[in-house]
Amino acid sequence: MGEQLPSVPGRAQLHSDTLNRPVQTLRVKMVLLGSSGVGKSSLALRFVKNEFRSTSPTIGCAYLTRVVHLSNVSLRFEIWDTAGQEKFHSVTPLYYRGAHAVLLVYDISKRKTFVRAQLWLRELEKHYIPGSTVIWLVGNKEDLAQNRQVSVQEGERLASDRGLFFMETSALSGDQISELLLAVAHRVYECLGTQQGGLSEWEEYPFIDLHHRDTSNPFSSCCKVGP
Amino acid sequence: GMDEEAQTAHVSWDKATLAPVDRLRSDRADSPTPGLVEGTEPGAAVQKSAMFVHAQSFEDLTAEAEKATGKEENPDESGECAEELQVLVGEKNIEEQHNRDGSPQGRTKEEDVSSETWRSHRKHVFVLSEAGKPIYTRYGTEEALSSTMGVMMALVSFVEADKNIIRSVHADGCKVVFLAKSPLVLVGVTQTCQSEKELLRELHYIYYQIVSLLTLTQLNHIFQHKQNYDLRRLLAGSEYLTDNLLHRLERDPGLLLSAVTCLPLANSARDVVSSSLQAAKAKNLVFSILLAGDRLVTLVRKKDQFLHHIDLHLVFNLVGSSSSFREGEGWTPICLPKFNTAGFFHAHISYLEPASELCLILVSTDREDFFNMSDCKQRFLERLSKRSAYQALKEALKCPSYSMEQVGIPELRHFLYKSKSSGLYTSPEFPFVYQSDEEQERLMGLYQELHSHLHYPTRPLRFYYRCGETENLLAWVTNGFELYLCFSPLSTKALAVSAVNKLLKWIRKEEDRLFILCPLTY
């Protein structure tokens, strides 16, 4: 808090540990799909804050963001963490429409969630245009390997049969989380970043500071919306 | 009344216009006590614009039960809703190939339903379909209760076959109350002295909770196509909302009074918050609600659109029960059943800061409106921080309630005061003698009992005083307010009456902090 960087439309705000070299920021829509309780929200929380805590079932969906810096570009992941409960299935297509990346999540200790992931895949294949979406099959709860009901080979086989990428993760331990996000980032940029109309550029919002109102008005220079 | 209800059922949510029933003029003329007239009581809005659907609270809830059968549900659902149903029906084929996704967060309900512990719970609530299939039980598992629920349905059908309606069974210190709201049947069983009416009121809340998750249109659609449908599939993972609502019904005076309470906040600060919300409007935005925990900070609504207190309590329950809005921004379809049982609104739900108690709910009619709502939130925050109201709001959060010492009436232990015209109530913290959960629930039970007497359908009382061993109680209802007071058992009636006058003066003095006097519209 307190540090206020001037916002330049179309340019990223840089983390202090990187060089002050402005790079382009592109928007990536990423959707998490899968059965109730496989750990979609926990994965999302790891991506965004690298934290773990037990959560109540997601209602509708949750929207979170995380910027990933690659060597020559920044990707702003706009993550749609959907509810696994059946009553929300009727609205889920709203969220995966136009997604650049889909994480199809199952729980390696529950076979039926793996079956369910295949049903989601069938749904997805009805809607998506090949080459416009990168789909990742994610076996979560790798920390429960002693209760494993779905083998690594099975996951790998399904992924290679259907042209998906595959990884096992543990949102609980944090294992393979940043690897997954980076892998998705590279793959999405590779497949869609250079493509015409693939990824759109991120336009910065005015920075809203709820804490330091007594200092100079942070809106005077960069206010785009409002009064 | 009835007209209002009928109207609600027949409007689609994007053009609904629920005008408040304006009873002000007639009441004012009839009332023998000027000043105690609805609209002039402490806590009444300064302008004549109430925030809520203007309904005779308790009667509004229970009158529906009397209205009996034959109310056809609205057939003209909007195209959007039909589309959502289509997806749902299509999905069923896939879904039926394997069994339901068990919710891992499911409650630990492994309670033996034949055990004495199960039997001795003070209050049971069951929901079943008209085919007698279990949908919900408060304790134990639905599976284990399928024969019990079968018996319940048999009772309902047996009496119905004679063109009658079963209301309740009284046996062996138990009250069994039935509420048939097609396509659902709700049954409450209590061993407390709670009245039948109060239990019925609670069953209505549970009914609305289920409708708010699915819409009545969808419920009817499902059971028309498959009488034997197992609704637990669609409610899986949401049982905790019903559990929490039942818990609230035992503890939250707002659900009893059909009212909500506000975060105490200086008038000027609240006005800034309200006008900041008002300015952050959008085409399809219907309600903007700012909550601090279970307290309302402000509510701004579209002109001519009113929120019902039941719908607001369902929103409170949704937000308060779930941690899923803590991270990021939530976006969910929600049916507000007292507004329209046929369709979904879409609610943008987010906390102003991750650890904050302040939660903003923006209700839109358009399911594609996420980014518009997100933008409204940004604009609201921007205005708020500019005008330093955020600091005042955060200060106010430090004392979200007040103690009886601050009220300064020594003989008075505790009270509930509801301003009828605004639909808002105020109540202090529980005093030291009611610190434990059991004591608080007992006091709430006593208030419920008073409430029952004041709202008894055939002989409602205006004034009620009761001496007990542990406390003396007084309840008073006028055209303008409802008041429930709790005194020490050593107090007298004369003291109680003088305390009422002192209290009303105190509330009048504090009303601009305790109530929302200037509700706004976009």
Side-chain angles (χ1 to χ4, degrees), chain B residues 245-390:
Chain B
L245 186 60
L246 280 165
H247 183 69
R248 275 166 190 264
L249 282 163
E250 276 162 14
R251 307 210 35 129
D252 185 343
L255 293 151
L256 174 68
L257 298 173
S258 306
V260 292
T261 194
C262 306
L263 176 78
L265 181 65
N267 210 357
S268 52
R270 195 178 327 259
D271 288 349
V272 171
V273 177
S274 302
S275 63
S276 302
L277 262 189
Q278 183 190 39
K281 62 183 174 187
K283 184 166 146 263
N284 299 312
L285 184 60
V286 191
F287 301 112
S288 306
I289 306 161
L290 185 65
L291 298 183
D294 279 345
R295 289 163 184 276
L296 190 61
V297 178
T298 190
L299 186 158
V300 181
R301 57 182 178 80
K302 204 167 206 151
K303 219 174 169 207
D304 301 328
Q305 313 282 347
F306 292 85
L307 193 57
H308 195 282
H309 59 84
I310 291 182
D311 290 338
L312 190 53
H313 277 297
L314 294 174
V315 171
F316 275 53
N317 189 43
L318 181 76
V319 172
S321 304
S322 176
S323 63
S324 86
F325 309 114
R326 278 277 163 203
E327 308 301 332
E329 300 163 60
W331 181 240
T332 182
I334 180 175
C335 169
L336 300 176
K338 294 299 281 185
F339 193 96
N340 177 11
T341 53
F344 281 115
F345 281 105
H346 300 272
H348 181 279
I349 305 175
S350 63
Y351 285 84
L352 299 196
E353 289 180 77
S356 170
E357 280 295 281
L358 293 166
C359 182
L360 180 65
I361 299 139
L362 301 169
V363 181
S364 166
T365 53
D366 183 358
R367 62 181 192 178
E368 311 268 353
D369 238 4
F370 174 83
F371 286 107
N372 287 334
M373 293 301 105
S374 192
D375 181 51
C376 284
K377 181 192 175 186
Q378 292 300 316
R379 277 161 33 208
F380 167 64
L381 287 180
E382 191 180 308
R383 282 195 158 246
L384 199 61
S385 53
K386 236 191 232 174
R387 300 167 71 184
S388 79
Y390 191 63

Side-chain angles (χ1 to χ4, degrees), chain A residues 34-38 40 83-87 89 105 110-117 119-120, chain B residues 91 94-95 98-106 232-239:
Chain A
S35 302
S36 193
V38 296
K40 298 181 293 301
Q85 295 162 35
E86 189 182 334
K87 69 168 172 293
H89 288 182
V105 188
K110 289 208 176 81
R111 170 154 295 276
K112 68 179 178 186
T113 66
F114 184 64
V115 176
R116 183 77 191 117
L119 296 171
W120 271 119
Chain B
E91 192 93 34
I94 301 176
E95 202 58 40
H98 65 110
N99 20 358
R100 42 194 284 239
D101 290 346
S103 160
Q105 287 88 354
R232 285 178 308 153
R233 264 180 45 183
L234 282 182
L235 294 176
S238 313
E239 301 91 342

